[in-house]
């Protein structure tokens, strides 16, 4: 769904919700207002009724008083006309008399021992009526007979006279009558004139508010019923549903004082009446009566001169309902029109708002497809305008960077391919491991050299380090992790099949972008062939040397042999054993043995066997081997060694070969003879042994200095040109250094430095061993 649709839906929905809320609120408040309105009206109506009732009461009182007066006057006239003894009076006489004085009827009441009874009357229905049960009436009659002033509060009292207000007749309960009672003490009866229904009809009309109620209902048709309720008797247990009560049936104590009671629900209404009287406030509620919904209001009326009462007004609720629904319909239709306008408007508005977003979206889609060569054209100053500007800038940068990225990617790819081919094509075995030693990758040469396929080793630990080299590897690993590189370390590793291979390994740490060491790259090269070659060279140089030495050795041996022969001849001639001669002969034999032994050691190919040896003794051996030859050429060796031991971890014969070659070169450079000074020094600080061999020979021309050490470079007729080369290799394999300095016609100095081996303690131990094995140096110089 597009933003436009969403926006317009959101706007429309919000307006819809507001409208619905508005209608609901309106409905509620309207209902409430209408209710309050009609309640107000009802209160007003009730007040009007109350006023009317009060006025009626006044006129009713007035009329009652007038009628009372009439009845009193009629009584006085009747008293004059009638015989004092009731026995002399006939009913016919009373008929006449009543017509004369203008009342409905006249009755006469006589006192019996326990009652007061009507005994004469113009109305035959009255005769025999007992009054004993007529509460205050009976009381009033007794007071009249006793010639007292009547003290009953009801009605009016005059001299010898008492009259009650309107009341239902006891003899004919459907009639409303008004009676007067007169007794002047001069006769044995009470004169009782009265008006009945027909006479007082008009008056009743005036005094009853029913007329007013009818009028009010005429002008206000929604009022269903108005009832005047007497709170004192309303709701008594004897009351009927229509409000009539057998017990309370007098005009002044009837539950319903005026009006009708047809919409009543006695219990509910009784509660309302009690509440209204107690609180003095009107009580209004909605109820159900005669199958319809009605609004009932109970308004308490407190009139000054009479007891309080409650006016109940029942209105038809349909009027309120219909007004509400009318209003609802009009509201809803207005809202509907409004909603349509809003939907339409919001759609337009959303379109206006989202149009730039759409165009931005289109362009962003283009960018996503990789087109950067266009710009957004949105000329607005709001946030969308700013967004468009920023997007333009972004597209520009994106285009720029994407191009650069492509370029760099290409370069990168080329470099990577190149590297890849270098790694794979190179003859050196390469393997890269992480710091834990797990293989990340190996190249083809690695596979060929060690026999492991890359899939067999990748992600695992390598098994090419033989157990005896592991310690060395751990040391190297520690150096590598600290960032140092290890170059051309010659060692022996293991192939997959378990066979050993001599390799020269260079290892370096690989760093990531942050400079952290993450991997190690090792390049190893099979040096078995090289070593074999070197061994061959070493041997051929050695053989040459041996050949050359042979003359010297022969000479050296011939001298003691001659001496021996001389002594033996002497023994033969004298036939006597001279002990001094024997000692000399033995020492000559020892010397021969030593020289031959040394010669053999040199000539014999031997297994490479590194040991801790003192250089002083090695040099001593070499000197004694060359000594006689040196003498032949008039050359003298001068050894200058410090008293400290100079222990080196070395292959003794190889070092001897070096020294023999250097010393021979020195001798050959001094055809006229001279001295060769040999200086030996242990440099404690560097833990190295330094040997300087200095001759006084012809020197080496500057231009051939760089060629020294090249195989077969010699400028001697019988030279091999291998000596220096082999010597250099040997010194290298001992992790040492060899340097040549020369001054033409002055001499040449060869400097050799070798790492000293280990602790002094060890050295001393070896020294002792050496001393046991080797004759002391001093002996050899002799
Ligand atoms: P060779 O002794 O068989 O010639 P070397 O390798 O021992 O081979 O020496 C190479 C060359 O270096 C010699 O031929 C010589 O010219 C020169 N050389 C070596 N040592 C000396 C020296 N002490 N004095 C002068 N020249 C030397
Ligand atoms: Mg030489």
């Amino acid at each position: 769904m597009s933003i436009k649709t969403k926006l317009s839906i959101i706007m429309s929905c919000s307006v819809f919700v507001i409208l619905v809320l508005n209608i609901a609120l309106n409905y509620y408040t309207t209902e409430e207002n209408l209710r309050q309105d009609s309640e107000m009206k009802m209160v007003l109506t009730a007040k009007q009724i109350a006023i009317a009732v009060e006025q009626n009461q006044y006129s009713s009182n007035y009329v009652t008083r007038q009628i009372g007066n009439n009845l009193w006057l009629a009584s006085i006239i009747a008293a004059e006309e009638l015989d004092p003894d009731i026995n002399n009076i006939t009913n016919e006489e009373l008929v006449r008399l009543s017509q004369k004085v203008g009342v409905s009827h006249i009755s006469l009441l006589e006192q019996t021992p326990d009652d007061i009874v009507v005994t004469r009357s113009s109305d035959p229905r009255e005769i025999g009526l007992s009054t004993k049960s007529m509460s205050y009436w009976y009381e009033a009659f007794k007071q009249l007979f006793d010639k007292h002033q009547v003290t009953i509060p009801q009605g009016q009292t005059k001299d010898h006279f008492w009259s009650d207000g309107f009341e239902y007749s006891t003899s004919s309960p459907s009639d409303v009558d008004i009676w007067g009672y007169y007794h002047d003490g001069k006769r044995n009866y009470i004169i009782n004139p009265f008006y009945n229904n027909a006479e007082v009809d008009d008056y009743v009309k005036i005094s009853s508010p029913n007329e007013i109620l009818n009028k009010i209902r005429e002008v206000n048709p929604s009022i269903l019923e108005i009832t005047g309720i007497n709170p004192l008797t309303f709701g008594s247990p004897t009351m009927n549903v229509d409000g009539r009560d057998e017990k309370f049936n007098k005009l002044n104590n009837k539950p319903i004082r005026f009006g009708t009671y047809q919409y009543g629900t006695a219990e509910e209404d009784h509660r309302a009446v009690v509440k209204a009287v107690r609180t003095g406030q009107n009580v209004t509620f909605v109820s159900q009566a005669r199958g319809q919904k009605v609004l009932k209001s109970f308004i308490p009326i407190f009139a000054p001169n009479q007891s309080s009462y409650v006016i109940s007004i029942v209105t038809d609720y349909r009027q309120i309902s219909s007004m509400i629904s009318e209003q609802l319909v009009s509201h809803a239709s207005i809202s509907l029109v409004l909603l349509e306008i809003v939907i339409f408007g919001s759609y337009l508005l959303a379109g206006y708002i989202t149009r730039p977003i759409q165009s931005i979206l289109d362009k962003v889609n283009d960018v996503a497809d990789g087109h950067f060569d266009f710009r957004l054209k949105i000329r607005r100053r709001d946030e969308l305008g700013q967004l468009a500007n920023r997007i333009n800038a972004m597209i520009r940068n994106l285009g720029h960077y994407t191009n650069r990225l492509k370029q760099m990617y290409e370069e990168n790819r080329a470099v990577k391919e190149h590297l890849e081919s270098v790694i794979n094509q190179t003859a050196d075995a390469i393997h890269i491991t992480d710091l834990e030693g797990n293989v990340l990758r190996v190249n083809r040469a690695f596979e060929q050299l060690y026999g492991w396929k890359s899939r067999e080793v990748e992600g695992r630990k390598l098994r090419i380090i033989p157990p005896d080299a592991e310690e060395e590897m751990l040391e190297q690993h520690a150096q590598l992790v600290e960032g140092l590189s290890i170059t051309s370390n010659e060692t022996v590793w293991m192939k997959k099949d378990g066979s050993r291979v001599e390799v020269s390994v260079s290892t370096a740490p690989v760093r990531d972008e942050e400079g952290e060491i993450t991997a190690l790259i090792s390049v190893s090269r099979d040096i078995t062939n090289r070593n074999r070659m070197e061994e061959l060279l070493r041997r051929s140089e050695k053989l040459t040397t041996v050949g050359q030495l042979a003359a010297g050795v022969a000479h050296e041996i011939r001298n003691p042999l001659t001496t021996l022969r001389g002594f033996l001849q002497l023994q033969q001639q004298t036939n006597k054993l001279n002990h001094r001669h024997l000692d000399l002969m033995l020492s000559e034999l020892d010397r021969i043995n030593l020289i031959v032994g040394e010669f053999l050691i040199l000539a014999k190919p031997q297994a490479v066997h590194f040991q801790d040896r003192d250089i002083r003794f090695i040099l001593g051996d070499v000197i004694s081997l060359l000594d006689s030859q040196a003498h032949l050429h008039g050359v003298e060796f001068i050894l200058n060694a410090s008293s400290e031991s100079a222990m080196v971890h070395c292959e003794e014969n190889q070092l001897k070969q070096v020294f023999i070659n250097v010393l021979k070169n020195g001798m050959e450079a001094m055809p006229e003879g001279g001295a060769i000074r040999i200086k030996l020094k242990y440099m404690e600080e560097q833990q190295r042994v330094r040997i300087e061999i200095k001759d006084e020979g012809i020197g080496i021309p500057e231009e051939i200095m760089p060629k020294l050490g090249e195989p077969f470079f010699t400028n001697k007729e019988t030279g091999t040109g291998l000596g220096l080369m082999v010597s250099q290799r040997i010194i290298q394999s001992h992790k040492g250094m060899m340097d040549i300095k020369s001054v033409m016609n002055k001499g040449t100095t060869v400097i050799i430095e070798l790492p000293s081996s280990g602790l002094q303690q060890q050295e001393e131990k070896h020294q002792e061993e050496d001393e046991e094995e080797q004759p002391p140096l001093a002996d050899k110089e002799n």
Side-chain angles (χ1 to χ4, degrees):
M1 205 189 286
S2 69
I3 292 183
K4 186 179 167 183
T5 325
K6 275 187 192 162
L7 259 179
S8 59
I9 287 177
I10 288 170
M11 283 194 261
S12 310
C13 282
S14 354
V15 170
F16 176 73
V17 169
I18 290 169
L19 286 176
V20 167
L21 279 177
N22 185 37
I23 289 173
L25 207 71
N26 223 290
Y27 179 85
Y28 178 73
T29 47
T30 307
E31 190 184 21
E32 195 57 33
N33 282 343
L34 285 174
R35 260 185 68 168
Q36 279 175 8
D37 214 49
S38 37
E39 204 178 326
M40 283 284 292
K41 255 194 231 163
M42 287 195 269
V43 172
L44 269 176
T45 311
K47 291 275 156 72
Q48 280 173 2
I49 294 167
I51 290 166
V53 168
E54 201 178 329
Q55 274 177 353
N56 266 357
Q57 201 62 48
Y58 280 125
S59 31
S60 150
N61 285 345
Y62 176 74
V63 171
T64 314
R65 264 200 317 276
Q66 288 310 314
I67 292 177
N69 278 341
N70 282 354
L71 291 173
W72 183 55
L73 286 173
S75 303
I76 289 171
I77 295 166
E80 292 208 343
E81 299 251 333
L82 291 173
D83 192 287
D85 185 1
I86 193 164
N87 298 315
N88 303 328
I89 303 170
T90 63
N91 289 334
E92 291 75 35
E93 197 181 348
L94 290 177
V95 173
R96 246 187 302 115
L97 189 60
S98 57
Q99 279 167 0
K100 187 179 170 190
V101 296
V103 296
S104 300
H105 290 287
I106 295 174
S107 297
L108 302 180
L109 290 81
E110 221 179 332
Q111 200 170 24
T112 63
D114 58 345
D115 199 355
I116 293 167
V117 188
V118 178
T119 50
R120 301 283 188 279
S121 178
S122 57
D123 183 356
R125 286 175 300 178
E126 290 272 302
I127 292 169
L129 189 76
S130 159
T131 62
K132 198 179 177 182
S133 58
M134 290 181 172
S135 61
Y136 67 86
W137 301 69
Y138 184 66
E139 203 58 37
F141 299 158
K142 278 207 292 194
Q143 283 178 345
L144 280 174
F145 275 121
D146 292 346
K147 298 181 197 78
H148 279 125
Q149 195 76 305
V150 174
T151 56
I152 302 302
Q154 284 91 343
Q156 56 177 315
T157 309
K158 291 184 184 305
D159 277 347
H160 314 298
F161 181 80
W162 172 73
S163 161
D164 189 29
F166 290 94
E167 197 46 80
Y168 293 104
S169 158
T170 323
S171 52
S172 50
S174 59
D175 292 347
V176 174
D177 295 348
I178 186 163
W179 299 268
Y181 298 92
Y182 180 82
H183 181 73
D184 52 6
K186 296 168 188 164
R187 59 200 74 236
N188 57 357
Y189 57 90
I190 290 174
I191 301 169
N192 166 218
F194 62 93
Y195 292 105
N196 67 16
N197 223 11
E199 254 84 5
V200 295
D201 214 24
D202 289 341
Y203 164 71
V204 169
K205 262 188 196 162
I206 300 164
S207 67
S208 154
N210 285 344
E211 277 302 301
I212 306 167
L213 304 189
N214 289 337
K215 286 269 160 8
I216 285 172
R217 284 186 51 196
E218 254 167 49
V219 294
N220 204 338
S222 74
I223 293 180
L224 298 172
E225 185 172 59
I226 299 169
T227 320
I229 294 172
N230 182 354
L232 294 175
T233 53
F234 183 81
S236 84
T238 46
M239 190 179 93
N240 292 334
V241 277
D242 61 355
R244 265 186 301 189
D245 196 327
E246 280 167 28
K247 196 169 161 209
F248 303 104
N249 52 10
K250 302 228 162 55
L251 273 179
N252 57 2
N253 67 3
K254 286 193 297 184
I256 303 304
R257 278 185 61 169
F258 55 81
T260 53
Y261 186 66
Q262 289 166 344
Y263 289 86
T265 344
E267 205 178 306
E268 185 181 55
D269 294 349
H270 182 239
R271 271 202 302 275
V273 167
V274 169
K275 191 177 172 192
V277 172
R278 185 162 46 78
T279 58
Q281 303 281 332
N282 43 310
V283 175
T284 306
F285 57 89
V286 178
S287 179
Q288 204 72 25
R290 302 185 75 166
Q292 74 184 85
K293 201 176 177 187
V294 291
L295 185 68
K296 283 187 175 179
S297 219
F298 293 83
I299 303 111
I301 304 293
F302 300 100
N305 290 322
Q306 50 181 316
S307 52
S308 54
Y309 61 99
V310 175
I311 296 175
S312 141
I313 300 176
V314 179
T315 46
D316 190 350
Y317 201 81
R318 264 178 307 189
Q319 201 200 3
I320 291 176
S321 305
S322 71
M323 274 169 85
I324 291 168
S325 45
E326 251 170 54
Q327 211 158 6
L328 200 68
V329 167
S330 74
H331 249 115
S333 40
I334 289 170
S335 300
L336 214 66
V337 172
L338 270 178
L339 197 66
E340 271 162 24
I341 292 171
V342 165
I343 290 172
F344 184 67
S346 63
Y347 196 72
L348 289 184
L349 193 69
Y352 172 73
I353 292 171
T354 56
R355 203 171 306 131
I357 295 180
Q358 192 53 49
S359 75
I360 288 172
L361 189 71
D362 293 344
K363 298 300 176 190
V364 169
N365 277 336
D366 284 351
V367 173
D369 292 343
H371 306 296
F372 302 107
D373 45 358
F374 62 85
R375 296 291 171 258
L376 279 168
K377 293 184 198 71
I378 293 178
R379 315 218 179 287
R380 282 168 67 150
R381 279 163 181 261
D382 57 8
E383 288 85 344
L384 287 173
Q386 288 174 19
L387 183 67
N389 276 338
R390 298 312 303 154
I391 287 177
N392 278 339
M394 208 173 75
I395 294 171
R396 216 172 21 246
N397 288 338
L398 218 59
H400 177 67
Y401 287 124
T402 310
N403 280 340
R404 277 198 43 195
L405 215 63
K406 269 187 201 154
Q407 260 174 23
M408 276 158 74
Y409 172 75
E410 277 307 317
E411 281 169 22
N412 217 336
R413 205 173 53 88
V415 168
K416 209 177 155 197
E417 268 172 16
H418 182 67
L419 218 70
E420 212 37 47
S421 79
V422 166
I423 287 178
N424 272 328
Q425 300 307 318
T426 184
D428 291 338
I430 296 175
H431 68 275
I432 303 169
T433 61
D434 62 16
L435 295 184
E436 275 75 54
N438 297 316
V439 174
L440 301 175
R441 70 163 295 186
V442 300
N443 70 347
R444 212 171 296 151
F446 180 95
E447 294 180 336
Q448 283 161 2
L449 176 55
Y450 295 103
W452 290 101
K453 290 276 165 239
S454 76
R455 65 188 141 73
E456 294 173 320
V457 288
E458 270 169 15
R460 306 205 188 134
K461 293 231 181 336
L462 268 184
R463 276 174 288 161
I464 58 171
I465 313 292
D468 47 307
E470 250 160 27
E471 200 176 324
E472 185 192 13
M473 284 307 292
L474 282 177
E475 275 170 34
Q476 289 187 358
H477 191 265
Q479 284 184 25
L480 287 164
V481 169
E482 292 199 343
L484 298 170
S485 301
I486 288 160
T487 45
S488 306
N489 176 43
E490 288 180 12
T491 179
V492 177
W493 278 359
M494 207 164 58
K495 294 189 182 186
K496 188 184 178 184
D497 59 13
S499 64
R500 305 290 162 116
V501 57
E502 290 171 52
V503 283
S504 161
V505 188
S506 294
T507 309
V510 180
R511 293 170 190 274
D512 63 8
E513 303 89 72
E514 275 102 54
E516 285 286 310
I517 296 173
T518 55
L520 302 173
I521 179 164
S522 297
V523 181
S524 48
R525 176 179 293 175
D526 183 356
I527 54 168
T528 319
N529 281 337
R530 197 195 76 191
N531 284 355
R532 202 171 301 142
M533 273 300 296
E534 280 177 10
E535 179 57 32
L536 277 176
L537 283 176
R538 226 175 3 245
R539 213 176 301 158
S540 77
E541 152 69 8
K542 193 156 73 177
L543 287 177
T544 317
T545 314
V546 167
Q548 285 167 349
L549 282 179
V553 169
H555 176 75
E556 192 79 345
I557 294 172
R558 204 166 61 188
N559 282 348
L561 279 179
T562 314
T563 317
L564 272 173
R565 195 169 189 285
F567 280 124
L568 279 175
Q569 272 182 338
L570 197 67
Q571 300 288 323
Q572 205 179 29
Q573 282 165 6
T574 58
N575 212 2
K576 240 174 33 189
L577 269 176
N578 184 327
H579 276 277
R580 210 176 54 87
H581 287 176
L582 278 179
D583 284 348
L584 272 170
M585 281 163 70
L586 278 176
S587 90
E588 286 303 317
L589 275 173
D590 281 349
R591 181 154 177 78
I592 291 166
N593 195 31
L594 181 89
I595 289 167
V596 172
E598 277 298 318
F599 191 74
L600 281 178
I601 288 172
L602 197 64
K604 202 164 68 185
Q606 272 158 340
V608 179
H609 184 45
F610 272 69
Q611 274 180 320
D612 284 334
R613 285 273 171 263
D614 194 329
I615 292 286
R616 286 181 300 171
F617 300 124
I618 297 176
L619 268 175
D621 288 350
V622 170
I623 287 167
S624 51
L625 188 69
L626 292 181
D627 225 10
S628 55
Q629 205 175 5
H631 278 303
L632 277 179
H633 293 95
V635 173
E636 188 193 1
F637 296 128
I638 304 169
L639 176 66
N640 176 8
S642 58
S643 59
E644 297 157 282
S645 63
M647 299 300 290
V648 169
H649 189 66
C650 63
E651 166 51 57
E652 190 178 356
N653 279 321
Q654 286 186 0
L655 280 191
K656 277 182 184 167
Q657 200 177 341
V658 172
F659 294 138
I660 288 169
N661 181 50
V662 173
L663 289 174
K664 268 188 71 209
N665 278 352
M667 290 190 325
E668 283 158 4
M670 293 190 297
E672 309 299 315
I676 295 179
R677 285 165 216 283
I678 306 153
K679 222 154 90 181
L680 178 75
K681 202 175 152 198
Y682 169 63
M683 299 187 294
E684 201 178 352
E685 236 172 80
Q686 291 100 318
Q687 295 261 304
R688 281 165 95 84
V689 177
R690 183 182 169 99
I691 305 120
E692 273 182 35
I693 299 168
K694 190 176 175 189
D695 64 52
E696 297 167 345
I698 51 170
I700 305 165
E702 191 94 7
E703 61 271 18
I704 68 163
M705 280 297 262
K707 293 191 174 172
L708 295 183
E710 271 180 24
F712 309 113
F713 172 75
T714 178
N715 50 12
K716 294 170 196 168
E717 264 175 39
T718 55
T720 59
L722 289 173
L724 283 180
M725 188 209 91
V726 168
S727 301
Q728 269 171 354
R729 285 284 158 85
I730 292 173
I731 296 300
Q732 250 176 31
S733 72
H734 281 73
K735 300 197 165 56
M737 178 278 282
M738 183 169 167
D739 191 21
I740 300 174
K741 286 177 183 155
S742 184
V743 182
M744 282 297 287
N745 298 319
K746 273 272 170 73
T748 304
T749 310
V750 177
I751 301 149
I752 296 168
E753 274 184 23
L754 291 166
S756 134
S757 72
L759 299 162
Q760 197 65 25
Q761 219 178 349
Q762 272 183 331
E763 287 166 18
E764 262 149 33
K765 203 176 108 208
H766 288 298
Q767 199 175 329
E768 278 160 28
E769 286 169 14
D770 289 346
E771 274 164 9
E772 279 165 26
E773 285 171 15
Q774 306 271 336
L777 192 62
D779 267 15
K780 297 204 162 178
E781 285 194 333
N782 286 340

